[in-house]
């Protein structure tokens, strides 16, 4: 009885005092946590993005012509994004990360989940994990957005969350602080597989089909390093889901 009672109570409260949009604080929020006006500010993902890296290609373009993939040489087999980083979606991500506003993780997760539901890349997945954070980043912001997104997305897909499989090595320079030309080289060696004594199940990576979750995919350097480590540990495949594609 608790479930129906709570739902009826929540619906009654919405009629009396509608919950306000988490982005603007004015309009009435829908399931995503945003209002209709804010949702109209979101730009759609390109109709035909690169199937490998989710970057823009253009209608009818040959996937082999993707310059981003040519530079990255992805170790992951496909990627999906909720939308482009430019514009309102990027603003939401920045507010969540740098403004220490974890409430915005809800709308971001809903937008990402909607994209993932229509993505063929979910077929055969066996595990979900976030791009691991640096300790300084967690201390600075109080939470790690990729952790929150991965946990909720694992629930959505009904898959196990393996958030201890990977760890950050050292305190790498934030990718956002580097020019694009240096990001690929700087990411090398910044991610490692957890030692079995800290994550006894880490040896179980072999044969897994893993979804790596991050908030933004820019050059793809960090997620590609995660994929490289997982593939080297025996993962059967690695795919990527992110909120925004820069």
């Amino acid at each position: 009885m608790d479930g129906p009672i709570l739902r009826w109570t929540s619906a009654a409260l919405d009629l009396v005092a509608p919950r306000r949009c988490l982005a603007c604080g004015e309009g009435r929020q829908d399931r995503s946590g945003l209002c209709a006006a804010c949702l109209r500010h979101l730009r759609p993902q390109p109709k035909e993005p690169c199937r490998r890296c989710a970057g823009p290609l253009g209608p009818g373009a040959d996937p082999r012509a993707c310059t981003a993939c040519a530079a990255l040489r992805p170790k992951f087999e496909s990627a999906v994004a909720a939308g482009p980083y430019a514009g309102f979606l990027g603003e939401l991500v920045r507010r969540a990360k740098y403004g220490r506003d974890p409430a915005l993780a809800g709308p971001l997760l809903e937008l990402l989940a909607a994209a993932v539901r229509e993505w063929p890349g979910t077929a055969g997945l066996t595990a979900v994990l976030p791009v691991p954070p640096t300790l300084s980043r967690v201390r600075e912001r109080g939470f790690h957005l990729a952790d929150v997104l991965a946990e909720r997305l694992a629930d959505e897909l009904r898959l196990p969350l393996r958030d201890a499989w990977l760890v950050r090595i050292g305190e790498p320079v934030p990718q956002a602080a580097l020019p694009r030309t240096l990001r690929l080289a700087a990411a090398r060696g910044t991610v490692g597989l957890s030692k079995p004594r800290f994550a006894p199940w880490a040896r179980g990576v072999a044969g897994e089909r893993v979804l790596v979750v991050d908030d933004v995919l820019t050059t793809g350097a960090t997620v590609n390093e995660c994929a490289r480590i997982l593939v080297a540990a025996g993962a059967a495949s690695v795919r990527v889901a992110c909120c925004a594609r820069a």
Side-chain angles (χ1 to χ4, degrees):
M1 293 295 290
D2 288 346
I5 290 173
L6 287 174
R7 286 195 294 271
W8 294 336
T9 302
S10 177
L13 288 173
D14 281 348
L15 291 173
V16 177
R19 286 173 288 187
R20 296 302 174 186
C21 175
L22 293 173
C24 69
E26 296 180 3
R28 180 173 180 168
Q29 66 173 249
D30 70 355
R31 178 182 172 183
S32 72
L34 303 178
C35 66
C38 284
L39 286 169
R40 284 195 293 270
H41 288 304
L42 294 171
R43 297 182 185 178
Q45 185 70 346
K47 289 185 178 180
E48 295 186 34
C50 173
R51 291 189 295 271
R52 192 76 180 272
C53 74
L57 266 183
D62 186 342
R64 293 172 295 182
C66 180
T67 56
C69 285
L72 183 63
R73 297 181 181 178
K75 299 296 183 183
F76 52 89
E77 65 178 31
S78 62
V80 65
Y85 185 68
F88 188 59
L89 180 58
E91 180 185 331
L92 292 181
V93 173
R94 290 190 295 274
R95 283 175 55 183
K97 288 175 65 171
Y98 308 120
R100 301 180 185 181
D101 191 353
L104 285 174
L108 291 172
L109 182 279
E110 187 57 39
L111 295 170
L112 177 56
V116 167
R117 289 183 202 114
E118 299 179 1
W119 180 48
T122 58
L125 288 173
T126 60
V128 176
L129 62 84
V131 168
T134 61
L135 293 177
S136 63
R137 213 68 47 78
V138 174
R139 285 195 296 265
E140 176 188 344
R141 298 172 188 165
F143 77 110
H144 182 48
L145 183 55
D147 281 344
V148 178
L149 295 171
E151 181 178 2
R152 299 272 299 276
L153 203 55
D155 287 342
E156 170 83 18
L157 296 172
R158 298 182 180 180
L159 292 172
L161 178 69
R162 302 303 191 195
D163 55 354
W165 269 359
L166 296 178
V167 294
R168 277 299 180 100
I169 298 173
E171 290 289 334
V173 176
Q175 290 281 301
L178 296 172
R180 288 178 88 95
T181 53
L182 297 181
R183 291 182 184 184
L184 299 182
R188 188 83 176 188
T190 62
V191 177
L193 199 67
S194 294
K195 294 181 179 179
R197 68 191 182 95
F198 295 118
W201 54 88
R203 290 176 178 169
V205 173
E208 297 280 353
R209 292 177 174 82
V210 184
L211 180 65
V212 176
V213 180
D214 204 359
D215 43 40
V216 179
L217 195 157
T218 305
T219 61
T222 302
V223 293
N224 204 41
E225 184 65 3
C226 293
R228 186 182 72 82
I229 295 299
L230 290 166
V231 169
S237 69
V238 178
R239 301 160 208 172
V240 174
C242 61
C243 280
R245 180 65 165 96

